[in-house]
Amino acid sequence: MGKWGALVVLSLAQFLMVLDQAVMNVSISQLVEDFDTNVTTIQGVITFYSLTMATLMITGGKVGDILGRRRAFAIGHVIYLTGSAQTAVSWSVGSLLVGWSVLEGVGAALVLPALGALVASNYEGRDRVAAFGVIGGVSGVGIAVGPIVGGFFTTNLSWRWVFVGEVIIAVIIVLLVRLIRDAPVDRKPKLDYLGAVLTAVGLGMIVIGALQSSSWGWVTPKNSPVEPFGFALTPFVIAGGIFVLWIFRVWQKHREQRGQDPLIKLDLLEIPSLRSGLGSFLAQNTILLGIFFTLPLYFQIVLGYDALETGIRMLPISIAMFVTSTSGPALAQRVAPRRIVQAGFVTLVLAAFLMMAQIEPDLDGYGFGFALVVLGVGMGLIASQLGNIIQSSVDASDRGEAGGLQYTAQQLGSALGTALIGAIVIGSLVTAFIDNIEPNEAVPTEITEEIAVRVTSGASFVSADQVEQGLRDAGVESATTDEIVAGYSDAQLEALKRGLLFAAFVALAALFATRNLPSKRLGADE
């Protein structure tokens, strides 16, 4: 297969990692039905998958240094295919959580840091720029194919068959791993077990706090299990996570001073381009996964589309991202990477506002499709540059750690995107619903008060038809039911718009993270 044989195998692995999450997002409604649960629970399963990867990715990068990156890459795929097999036959939310969120997450935590290091070690100069452009493009392909594949199987057969296919792909990758030249490591370090635990606990607390915010409340307690000093538990859990990460930093300095191997060389975080790249990855995935959680809610629950129709509607994002990502290497020869990434984030802001303008009870015309194309272009511009920037900012011996940091930032962004934007959407739904029906004289005060108590104590994003049926089953008069359902339908749209508005703010804030990205065009030797 020549010099590009390794890239084929690595691209297949990248495709597999991206396909998985895209499939789950368009299958939310079917998962809710199959496991007799609710959107919030499935949101938790999706978030826990990203959380598993985010908490273990740094450790996975270090394990790759110890075992060898190619071996870690292969072992990771074996664990991953085991998780895919369990997911395919899962019988409950718990078994789905173990197979998909845990086993696949652990496998991916070994695969992805090694993948970044292996791309960088197998290619140099312009070939490396092109290789990372292809990897970014393949991410777009996975996002493109994921909703269609997931939608097709979910609608016509079952989402389970997608995971059977993943088992087959993972087996093929393991059989072809010999085509990849291993990434050299100067010496095998020793694993910092305490550091691994501290990073997992710290990052985990931050994401769990964000995820539970819609239930617990951000500051004012709603359904918080405890109320420290009269506040919700959320800020205390997040602050606790930050404190644990601070302890981790102190521990790493202590190990370095004693001449022991740290989990992360803190000096790497002093490299300006690496630090900016990580911040940009964090922001990009926060936006991407937050929007990819929000859009299926709009298409499936508000508009009533099935999973296949949802995948087709989201296809413009994927095509635009693929085309833009694969043109990244050519762009990098003409425009500085910093300008390309900045243009990407500005484009994401525009896309968010275009989508907000198009979210209505019915989709008419091509306006929403155009907004999704703009979103894909913005994501493609960013994805085409960041992988090469991060791997090129460190020496060959540090690429495993850099890969671990890169994918930690990506998966932390994925988890935070699903958790934060999901929490904003659910929280906004409750607030807007109550605001819509409270001043409505057609809705009796006692019913308004009862609804406020129920949705405040625990709400989920359900269809207007379900709300209507629930009210009729409760014996609420027809005219009152119609008014409440109308208020709920309006609240759905407002909640989705607030989620997109938050994504736009994240994109604007991300511009500050780009200031230390390379400001010169990349040459053949960079």
Side-chain angles (χ1 to χ4, degrees):
M1 297 179 71
K3 70 175 182 178
W4 299 112
L7 183 60
V8 170
V9 181
L10 294 167
S11 296
L12 195 59
Q14 179 69 41
F15 173 79
L16 182 62
M17 300 295 121
V18 175
L19 173 71
D20 203 54
Q21 211 154 21
V23 167
M24 276 299 190
N25 277 303
V26 299
S27 303
I28 289 174
S29 294
Q30 192 61 50
L31 289 164
V32 168
E33 182 178 336
D34 287 356
F35 294 112
D36 191 24
T37 184
N38 54 50
V39 170
T40 304
T41 300
I42 299 303
Q43 176 195 3
V45 173
I46 292 172
T47 302
F48 199 78
Y49 174 64
S50 296
L51 174 61
T52 301
M53 287 191 282
T55 56
L56 298 180
M57 203 67 71
I58 294 173
T59 302
K62 184 62 71 173
V63 170
D65 292 343
I66 296 169
L67 299 179
R69 278 96 182 236
R70 189 171 65 178
R71 182 180 297 176
F73 181 81
I75 292 173
H77 275 98
V78 172
I79 297 173
Y80 192 91
L81 69 87
T82 303
S84 294
Q86 173 159 329
T87 303
V89 299
S90 55
W91 56 92
S92 65
V93 171
S95 61
L96 177 71
L97 184 74
V98 172
W100 191 64
S101 303
V102 178
L103 289 176
E104 288 194 33
V106 170
L110 285 172
V111 169
L112 288 170
L115 189 151
L118 290 169
V119 172
S121 65
N122 277 261
Y123 300 98
E124 297 292 339
R126 289 189 179 182
D127 285 348
R128 181 187 295 168
V129 178
F132 275 109
V134 169
I135 292 294
V138 167
S139 295
V141 172
I143 293 172
V145 174
I148 300 296
V149 171
F152 174 80
F153 280 100
T154 299
T155 303
N156 297 291
L157 296 169
S158 170
W159 53 268
R160 297 176 187 273
W161 285 102
V162 178
F163 293 93
V164 174
E166 288 193 354
V167 172
I168 296 171
I169 294 173
V171 169
I172 292 172
I173 291 171
V174 172
L175 293 175
L176 295 178
V177 75
R178 58 186 174 78
L179 296 175
I180 304 170
R181 185 174 66 251
D182 202 359
V185 179
D186 292 339
R187 67 176 186 84
K188 293 183 179 180
K190 293 184 178 180
L191 183 61
D192 174 13
Y193 292 99
L194 178 58
V197 171
L198 289 172
T199 54
V201 171
L203 292 168
M205 290 177 69
I206 291 171
V207 177
I208 289 170
L211 174 63
Q212 293 297 323
S213 62
S214 59
S215 173
W216 297 345
W218 280 102
V219 178
T220 303
K222 292 193 296 184
N223 196 27
S224 184
V226 295
E227 300 177 7
F229 309 106
F231 297 107
L233 186 60
T234 303
F236 295 94
V237 172
I238 293 175
I242 294 172
F243 178 70
V244 172
L245 291 180
W246 177 79
I247 294 175
F248 167 73
R249 182 174 179 271
V250 172
W251 173 246
Q252 295 305 284
K253 285 188 173 181
H254 174 70
R255 285 184 66 88
E256 288 181 344
Q257 289 170 355
R258 294 179 60 183
Q260 297 174 315
D261 294 315
L263 190 67
I264 301 174
K265 296 176 183 174
L266 295 178
D267 289 346
L268 292 179
L269 297 176
E270 300 299 320
I271 300 173
S273 58
L274 176 63
R275 196 168 57 246
S276 282
L278 294 175
S280 298
F281 261 130
L282 176 68
Q284 181 205 18
N285 274 48
T286 298
I287 298 165
L288 180 63
L289 269 295
I291 290 177
F292 265 64
F293 178 80
T294 302
L295 289 180
L297 294 180
Y298 177 53
F299 289 133
Q300 295 183 5
I301 296 179
V302 176
L303 300 180
Y305 294 164
D306 61 30
L308 179 58
E309 291 172 319
T310 299
I312 293 172
R313 285 287 183 176
M314 294 173 70
L315 188 59
I317 305 175
S318 312
I319 295 173
M321 184 174 177
F322 172 65
V323 172
T324 310
S325 294
T326 52
S327 66
L331 279 173
Q333 302 299 319
R334 296 171 176 81
V335 183
R338 181 197 298 173
R339 298 303 178 202
I340 296 173
V341 175
Q342 288 173 339
F345 281 119
V346 171
T347 304
L348 293 185
V349 175
L350 174 62
F353 281 101
L354 287 173
M355 284 187 286
M356 281 189 281
Q358 295 295 325
I359 285 186
E360 298 292 342
D362 298 296
L363 276 183
D364 295 320
Y366 299 98
F368 204 90
F370 175 73
L372 297 185
V373 169
V374 175
L375 174 66
V377 169
M379 286 294 173
L381 288 172
I382 298 167
S384 69
Q385 305 300 315
L386 292 182
N388 183 53
I389 288 171
I390 285 181
Q391 287 294 327
S392 297
S393 66
V394 299
D395 296 331
S397 60
D398 293 325
R399 283 179 183 152
E401 286 186 40
L405 289 169
Q406 170 185 329
Y407 286 103
T408 296
Q410 283 185 271
Q411 296 308 321
L412 182 59
S414 298
L416 288 175
T418 305
L420 282 175
I421 295 184
I424 287 168
V425 169
I426 299 298
S428 298
L429 177 67
V430 171
T431 303
F433 184 30
I434 294 173
D435 289 346
N436 286 346
I437 64 173
E438 273 187 341
N440 192 331
E441 296 179 356
V443 181
T445 303
E446 59 272 17
I447 293 180
T448 300
E449 291 174 350
E450 178 67 17
I451 289 173
V453 170
R454 288 178 178 270
V455 299
T456 302
S457 62
S460 184
F461 204 100
V462 299
S463 69
D465 289 342
Q466 288 178 272
V467 173
E468 181 178 3
Q469 187 61 49
L471 291 168
R472 295 195 187 284
D473 292 344
V476 179
E477 293 182 358
S478 180
T480 302
T481 294
D482 291 343
E483 291 294 329
I484 294 174
V485 171
Y488 179 75
S489 298
D490 290 341
Q492 282 183 318
L493 301 180
E494 185 172 343
L496 293 169
K497 289 178 181 179
R498 289 185 186 181
L500 292 171
L501 181 62
F502 178 78
F505 284 139
V506 173
L508 278 174
L511 291 172
F512 292 99
T514 65
R515 63 187 182 277
N516 289 320
L517 296 178
S519 58
K520 296 180 180 179
R521 291 177 294 175
L522 296 181
D525 59 340
E526 293 178 275

